[in-house]
Amino acid sequence: MKPVDVVHYIEGDLYISSVPVEPGMINSVIETSGKRITGFNTENSEIKEGLIRFDIVFYVHIPSRGSSRNSLIQINRAIFYVCRLVSSQKGRDFENSNYDDIKGVYSIWVCMNMNEDSMVHIKLDKKQLLGSYDWQGNMDMVNIVMIGLAKEPAGNAENHRLHRLLGVLLSDTMKAEEKFNVMGNEYGIPVDMDIRRDVDIMCNLSQGIMEKGEAIGLERGRKEIENKFIISMHEKGYSLEEIAGIMDKEINEIEKVIEG
């Protein structure tokens, strides 16, 4: 695009060497300037990190690309997670401008009830647009693995071994003993008391998901079922973060249920 055509896509002001990268600090700078950019969402300060600033930060509109909303949400959320895993390393895994010390990160997602078993590895790509200069950098720093599980556990085909194991563990139709047999006989996984406890929790959660589905339209019943499993997981030692991830809720929502 020509520069003159780009200008009207820029939203709000440009902030030059004034906006910290850290969560919880970006919005404070932008809001105190008197002109809040609509695109910036409220952020929570999660992890203490070293202080660095963007050279220039601003919003720009780009033409939308057609895609399934569900897949957009899954992948966009995964991108956010890996970016946080990378940025949170400053002050912990690397200091100052020692960016060579950044560790590569993986975000692995298991998506249920897909039309077929699938798996994709998303990572940084480098495309030479002009010249032959070899720009150095760790292209394996950011990795997203999306694992799609079909509605029924996969068979014993070699390239479906991972999907079969995950499908069996997360199945809402197989009984716990059936799962233990597959784990022990097909995968050589020792089935100790800890594993039995965790599989029992997954079976109960699957049953709860089925019950919740039957309660569609009955908000009170749905809430009671959700709260029941939140309390159950809390009593079994799951952290607030783990429960929030399983139930797809914010941590403060989980805290309210437990406190209540």
Side-chain angles (χ1 to χ4, degrees):
M1 296 175 67
K2 297 178 181 178
V4 68
D5 296 328
V6 174
V7 173
H8 74 277
Y9 285 103
I10 297 175
E11 175 185 337
D13 296 329
L14 282 71
Y15 295 84
I16 303 173
S17 297
S18 60
V19 180
V21 174
E22 284 66 28
M25 301 182 71
I26 294 176
N27 292 331
S28 61
V29 172
I30 292 172
E31 289 179 358
T32 53
S33 69
K35 294 183 179 180
R36 176 175 174 83
I37 294 180
T38 305
F40 277 98
N41 294 322
T42 301
E43 296 177 73
N44 294 320
S45 181
E46 300 175 51
I47 301 174
K48 292 182 179 180
E49 304 172 5
L51 179 62
I52 54 177
R53 298 179 186 273
F54 290 109
D55 292 329
I56 303 176
V57 60
F58 60 92
Y59 273 99
V60 60
H61 293 286
I62 60 173
S64 61
R65 299 173 175 84
S67 182
S68 163
R69 175 166 172 77
N70 287 336
S71 64
L72 276 175
I73 292 172
Q74 292 167 351
I75 294 178
N76 289 354
R77 188 174 178 183
I79 291 172
F80 174 81
Y81 281 21
V82 293
C83 290
R84 285 291 300 121
L85 287 169
V86 170
S87 68
S88 67
Q89 294 180 47
K90 186 169 177 65
R92 187 183 69 240
D93 294 316
F94 75 98
E95 302 288 343
N96 302 317
S97 297
N98 299 323
Y99 295 106
D100 287 344
D101 294 335
I102 298 177
K103 295 178 173 62
V105 300
Y106 281 79
S107 184
I108 303 173
W109 295 72
V110 180
C111 304
M112 308 287 292
N113 298 318
M114 306 287 281
N115 291 331
E116 62 177 353
D117 285 338
S118 61
M119 183 162 58
V120 63
H121 179 196
I122 302 169
K123 60 181 181 178
L124 295 175
D125 187 23
K126 183 168 64 173
K127 184 178 181 181
Q128 196 75 28
L129 300 177
L130 180 66
S132 58
Y133 183 80
D134 185 17
W135 296 88
Q136 297 296 312
N138 182 8
M139 300 302 294
D140 294 327
M141 183 181 297
V142 173
N143 298 272
I144 298 170
V145 179
M146 309 295 296
I147 302 173
L149 298 182
K151 295 179 180 179
E152 296 298 328
N156 287 316
E158 185 62 31
N159 61 341
H160 283 255
R161 292 279 290 166
L162 172 63
H163 288 74
R164 174 163 174 76
L165 176 59
L166 293 175
V168 166
L169 285 174
L170 300 173
S171 171
D172 58 5
T173 58
M174 295 181 68
K175 295 181 179 180
E177 284 303 322
E178 294 179 276
K179 297 182 179 185
F180 296 143
N181 288 335
V182 171
M183 293 167 63
N185 297 333
E186 296 184 23
Y187 293 88
I189 299 174
V191 181
D192 56 23
M193 291 305 297
D194 287 337
I195 288 182
R196 285 183 174 273
R197 180 199 63 194
D198 292 340
V199 171
D200 284 339
I201 290 174
M202 284 192 289
C203 289
N204 291 336
L205 181 60
S206 297
Q207 181 62 34
I209 292 172
M210 292 176 63
E211 293 174 6
K212 184 174 68 175
E214 294 169 358
I216 290 176
L218 301 174
E219 182 66 18
R220 182 177 178 181
R222 183 182 67 81
K223 285 291 184 183
E224 288 178 353
I225 291 170
E226 285 186 348
N227 293 349
K228 171 184 174 183
F229 282 99
I230 289 172
I231 296 298
S232 175
M233 286 185 281
H234 173 65
E235 292 175 346
K236 288 179 169 62
Y238 278 65
S239 69
L240 295 179
E241 291 78 7
E242 289 172 332
I243 299 173
I246 292 171
M247 302 302 294
D248 195 22
K249 291 182 176 295
E250 299 295 330
I251 291 179
N252 63 341
E253 295 180 87
I254 303 300
E255 289 176 332
K256 288 180 181 179
V257 173
I258 293 173
E259 291 171 358

